[in-house]
């Protein structure tokens, strides 16, 4: 990268403040900023360094609007079902979820104004999917795509851009394929709307503590550093 000023945000700070930002301003994102975000994505590791992913930076207003219509239909169905499932849940969880859903409604209702949507695609034929024969859902292929998505999210964080990883458009992949002229066998993995945040943007996140997530040597053995 020509300019190192963007390395100034520490990586730990970036990670612990990289929350989902769904309220985005329509202001355009300067080309060099977008290029840095995409370059960060390109640095991600992939199995065999094959890089079986591509990203389409969708800026065409008609296409973003069409993606937005598809997204809003999926979001409203998801949101209705999600809130119904919380019937009887603790008040604190209901309130947190309601805040997330309100932000999600905002994104769905304003999707057409999003300056850029990054649609990440992948080619399953280019991947060594080492868990494909297991009798459960296969996840290894995703490991050659989502690190690139995460790098793009972190770069957005460093650039002061809001963003959120979304996957609802994968439910309507044939429509997205046709809109964006994605050739077979390429498929879609995520759509990341990005833009400068309406309010504060990134900030604190709520996550389980390491003590609940990490073990020492064997499953369920308490981890100590
Ligand atoms: C695999 C995956 C799929 C997601 N899909 C969506 C989505 O379709 N729409 C959305 O608004 N957020 C989506 N999210 C964002 C999550 O809801 C968000 O990361 C999570 O609630 C944590 O929020 P926080 O980072 O603000 O704490 C997705 C996140 C991941 C990792």
């Amino acid at each position: 990268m020509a300019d190192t000023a963007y390395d100034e945000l520490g990586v730990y700070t970036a990670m612990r403040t990289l929350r989902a930002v769904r309220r985005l301003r329509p202001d355009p994102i300067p080309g060099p900023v977008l290029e840095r975000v995409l370059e960060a994505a390109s640095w991600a590791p992939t199995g065999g360094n094959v890089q079986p992913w591509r990203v389409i930076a969708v800026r065409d207003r008609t296409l973003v609007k069409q993606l937005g219509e598809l997204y809003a239909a999926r979001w409203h169905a998801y949101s209705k079902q999600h809130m119904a499932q919380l019937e009887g849940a603790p008040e604190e969880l209901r309130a947190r979820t309601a805040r997330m859903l309100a932000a999600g409604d905002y994104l769905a209702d304003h999707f057409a104004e999003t300056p850029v949507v990054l649609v990440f695609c992948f080619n399953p034929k280019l991947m060594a999917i080492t868990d494909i024969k297991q009798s459960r859902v296969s996840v290894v292929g995703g490991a050659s795509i989502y690190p690139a998505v995460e790098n793009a999210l972190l770069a957005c964080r460093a650039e002061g851009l809001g963003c959120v990883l979304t996957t609802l458009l994968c439910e309507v992949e044939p429509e997205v394929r046709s809109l964006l002229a994605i050739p077979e066998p390429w498929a879609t993995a995520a759509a990341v709307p990005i833009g400068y945040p309406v309010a504060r943007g990134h900030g604190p996140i709520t996550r389980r503590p390491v003590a609940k997530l990490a073990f020492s040597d064997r499953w369920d053995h308490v981890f100590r550093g």
Side-chain angles (χ1 to χ4, degrees):
M1 287 210 298
D3 188 344
T4 53
Y6 297 92
D7 289 335
E8 283 174 11
L9 181 72
V11 70
Y12 283 97
T13 302
M15 289 187 292
R16 84 180 141 67
T17 57
L18 182 56
R19 67 180 175 192
V21 179
R22 299 182 176 89
R23 292 184 172 92
L24 304 170
R25 299 206 317 253
D27 312 50
I29 299 171
V33 174
L34 192 54
E35 276 175 32
R36 282 195 293 272
V37 168
L38 298 183
E39 192 179 12
S42 77
W43 293 330
T46 57
N49 207 15
V50 169
Q51 296 185 283
W53 63 270
R54 298 292 182 271
V55 60
I56 306 174
V58 186
R59 286 175 285 191
D60 177 277
R61 298 327 310 158
T62 307
L63 288 174
V64 174
K65 183 167 178 284
Q66 287 168 314
L67 288 178
E69 283 159 9
L70 292 171
Y71 183 85
R74 300 318 315 144
W75 170 261
H76 291 304
Y78 164 83
S79 150
K80 206 167 139 196
Q81 188 196 21
H82 198 65
M83 209 54 207
Q85 279 169 356
L86 284 174
E87 216 50 56
E91 189 44 40
E92 207 264 332
L93 176 62
R94 285 176 61 85
R96 192 154 20 101
T97 306
R99 280 198 300 277
M100 186 274 277
L101 293 178
D105 287 346
Y106 184 99
L107 174 65
D109 296 342
H110 293 79
F111 203 99
E113 296 155 34
T114 308
V116 181
V117 182
L118 299 180
V119 176
F120 282 86
C121 303
F122 67 100
N123 184 336
K125 297 231 152 67
L126 299 178
M127 294 167 162
I129 306 174
T130 55
D131 64 347
I132 201 139
K133 292 193 178 140
Q134 301 301 323
S135 58
R136 53 148 174 84
V137 69
S138 169
V139 298
V140 169
S144 283
I145 311 158
Y146 293 109
V149 180
E150 183 70 5
N151 271 11
L153 298 176
L154 284 165
C156 284
R157 170 70 191 90
E159 299 285 353
L161 286 164
C163 55
V164 56
L165 192 170
T166 78
T167 51
L168 284 172
L169 282 173
C170 298
E171 292 180 2
V172 286
E173 184 171 275
E175 287 88 334
V176 174
R177 173 189 298 292
S178 145
L179 275 181
L180 305 182
I182 300 168
E184 297 276 2
W186 290 86
T188 59
V192 182
I194 64 179
Y196 292 99
V198 166
R200 214 155 31 109
H202 296 297
I205 51 174
T206 309
R207 299 288 186 264
R208 290 191 174 96
V210 171
K212 295 252 190 281
L213 298 168
F215 305 135
S216 208
D217 296 322
R218 289 200 165 53
W219 187 265
D220 252 356
H221 289 210
V222 176
F223 172 81
R224 286 201 185 81

